[in-house]
Amino acid sequence: MRLTTKGRFAVTAMVDLGMSQGKHPVTLAAISQRQKISLPYLEQLFGKLRRRALVDSVRGPGGGYRLAQDMTQISVADIILAVDETLNSTQCSGREKCRDGNKCITHNLWTNLNQHIFSFLGAITLRQLVDAQRPRQNRLAKVQEIRVTLQKRQRAAISI
């Protein structure tokens, strides 16, 4: 069982969008730059997210994307399913034809694992992921403020 980059990048981009959610739509170019995900790949993912009504697009100057639903209503499972990602532990993709056309003896184990994974991912909301990043974002902002202050002091000391 494996979560591919499609699912990982979709969740990452949605967290970024949630963190940037405000008055103005967010461009995919901005998400691409911040998250180091190629722009064409993001365009594909956001097309799927838009079709599943998780994001809205705004055209024209100042356009971009914004969340189509409240962050508390979007789960990680919703995002993964929207981009056609499958998390399946069975060898047969759930068709019960694991061994020579028959259900294998561990089929139910892997099916139950799939259910637990999606239950787990379905219980985590975009809001929770965004809120978990806020302290990190605040620490980074403080570090940047300190750097700017130090640079100003260094320039002031040099000019004296």
Side-chain angles (χ1 to χ4, degrees):
M1 177 199 61
R2 203 175 132 205
L3 179 63
T4 66
T5 53
K6 187 182 348 178
R8 291 177 195 276
F9 284 174
V11 173
T12 299
M14 287 291 283
V15 172
D16 185 290
L17 181 62
M19 290 173 63
S20 304
Q21 190 74 3
K23 297 176 185 174
H24 305 290
V26 178
T27 66
L28 292 184
I31 295 172
S32 173
Q33 185 177 21
R34 285 190 295 267
Q35 301 307 323
K36 309 296 185 243
I37 302 171
S38 82
L39 185 57
Y41 200 69
L42 281 175
E43 289 169 348
Q44 289 177 356
L45 293 176
F46 272 74
K48 292 177 180 189
L49 293 166
R50 189 174 46 77
R51 283 189 289 280
R52 289 288 187 104
L54 295 180
V55 297
D56 285 326
S57 62
V58 178
R59 294 182 180 268
Y65 285 88
R66 60 178 157 223
L67 296 174
Q69 301 176 31
D70 188 89
M71 284 189 267
T72 60
Q73 301 301 311
I74 301 172
S75 73
V76 173
D78 294 332
I79 298 167
I80 290 171
L81 290 172
V83 295
D84 302 324
E85 181 71 279
T86 58
L87 287 177
N88 195 328
S89 304
T90 63
Q91 291 179 331
C92 63
S93 299
R95 292 180 298 235
E96 298 186 4
K97 295 181 181 183
C98 319
R99 298 271 188 228
D100 300 323
N102 297 311
K103 185 164 92 171
C104 70
I105 60 176
T106 57
H107 180 85
N108 291 340
L109 170 69
W110 307 126
T111 300
N112 288 335
L113 177 60
N114 292 342
Q115 291 170 352
H116 283 288
I117 291 169
F118 270 104
S119 177
F120 172 75
L121 296 176
I124 300 171
T125 66
L126 184 57
R127 166 58 65 200
Q128 290 171 300
L129 295 177
V130 168
D131 287 348
Q133 290 302 308
R134 296 270 186 231
R136 180 175 177 261
Q137 192 176 26
N138 291 339
R139 283 192 305 271
L140 290 174
K142 287 180 184 178
V143 168
Q144 286 178 322
E145 288 175 26
I146 292 169
R147 284 183 183 156
V148 168
T149 302
L150 289 174
Q151 288 172 349
K152 287 179 182 177
R153 287 182 185 169
Q154 288 172 344
R155 281 184 280 210
I158 292 172
S159 64
I160 293 179

